[in-house]
């Protein structure tokens, strides 16, 4: 829309694949003069399988610790491609990654979500059941998937694919 900037949400789990997504999202945000939301989803300790056997654990404190650690790691992520740091909003959400990414994107009326994928080639790069695959299937806005491919010691290359939403699937899929 004229006069307003687009909003890009990039989801990071601090892996090499999300590093590639971050770099691509920065380039895109710099090129399109967009605002960039850098999102990490911290797990809910109560949703972990091991909690059934955990006695005396302060789950609220644990969740706070995990969120704080994630905030520190997000703060250390620097923009690339000349993107102004003032354009970046760093956010830690809690929950199931694909659901929390989609919910956050909707809450900020995102124009695009960027996620990483493993670089297994054009067909297999979206693995069934992966966070990226679920976001692509269920998000209401376009999603850019950025595969990560190692290229020897020289670094990484990325190519991106953008999908636009199809009729909504169940968020429980
Ligand atoms: P995966 O399907 O687990 O290989 O993750 C693919 C991509 O989903 C990552 O590169 C991130 O972009 C995103 N992602 C996965 N887990 C999280 C998380 N906990 N918080 C934010 N983004 C995530």
């Amino acid at each position: 829309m004229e006069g307003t900037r687009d909003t890009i949400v990039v989801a990071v789990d601090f892996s090499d694949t999300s590093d590639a997504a971050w770099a691509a999202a920065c380039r895109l945000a710099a090129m399109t003069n967009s605002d960039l939301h850098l999102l990490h989803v911290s797990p809910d300790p109560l949703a972990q399988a091991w909690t059934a056997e955990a006695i005396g654990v302060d789950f609220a404190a644990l969740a706070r610790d995990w969120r704080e650690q994630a905030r520190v790691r997000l703060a250390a992520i620097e923009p690339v491609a000349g993107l102004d740091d003032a354009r970046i909003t760093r956010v830690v959400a809690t929950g199931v990654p694909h659901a929390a990414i989609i919910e956050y994107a909707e809450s900020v009326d995102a124009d695009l979500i960027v996620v990483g994928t493993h670089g297994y080639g054009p067909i297999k790069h979206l693995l069934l059941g992966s966070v990226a695959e679920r976001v692509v299937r269920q998000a209401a806005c376009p999603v850019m998937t950025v595969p990560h491919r190692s290229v020897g010691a020289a670094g990484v290359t990325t190519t991106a694919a953008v999908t636009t939403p199809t009729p909504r699937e169940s968020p429980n899929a």
Side-chain angles (χ1 to χ4, degrees):
M1 199 187 299
E2 203 174 319
T4 60
R5 281 200 283 266
D6 281 345
T7 300
I8 299 173
V9 171
V10 54
V12 298
D13 59 359
F14 309 117
S15 65
D16 288 347
T17 63
S18 76
D19 286 350
W22 169 243
C26 282
R27 277 197 294 276
L28 193 60
M31 273 190 304
T32 58
N33 204 22
S34 300
D35 290 324
L36 190 56
H37 292 233
L38 171 56
L39 172 68
H40 175 74
V41 182
S42 182
D44 178 354
L46 284 171
Q48 307 304 305
W50 53 264
T51 56
E53 292 161 22
I55 297 164
V57 174
D58 183 344
F59 290 110
L62 192 58
R64 268 198 306 277
D65 277 0
W66 287 354
R67 280 198 299 271
E68 185 49 34
Q69 284 170 29
R71 261 190 286 276
V72 169
R73 295 186 77 176
L74 284 186
I77 295 178
E78 292 181 356
V80 297
L83 184 70
D84 183 354
D85 197 75
R87 282 289 162 78
I88 300 169
T89 304
R90 293 173 171 81
V91 180
V92 178
T94 300
V96 177
H98 74 277
I101 292 166
I102 291 168
E103 189 180 320
Y104 180 79
E106 288 183 358
S107 77
V108 296
D109 204 12
D111 298 284
L112 181 73
I113 299 171
V114 181
V115 289
T117 67
H118 299 282
Y120 294 128
I123 309 292
K124 288 197 294 184
H125 82 275
L126 285 177
L127 291 178
L128 198 66
S130 71
V131 172
E133 188 247 358
R134 289 188 165 114
V135 172
V136 165
R137 280 200 291 122
Q138 297 171 22
C141 68
V143 178
M144 183 165 93
T145 55
V146 182
H148 169 270
R149 296 191 188 95
S150 294
V151 185
V156 297
T157 71
T158 59
T159 54
V162 179
T163 57
T164 47
T166 50
R168 196 110 193 225
E169 295 190 25
S170 158
N172 300 321

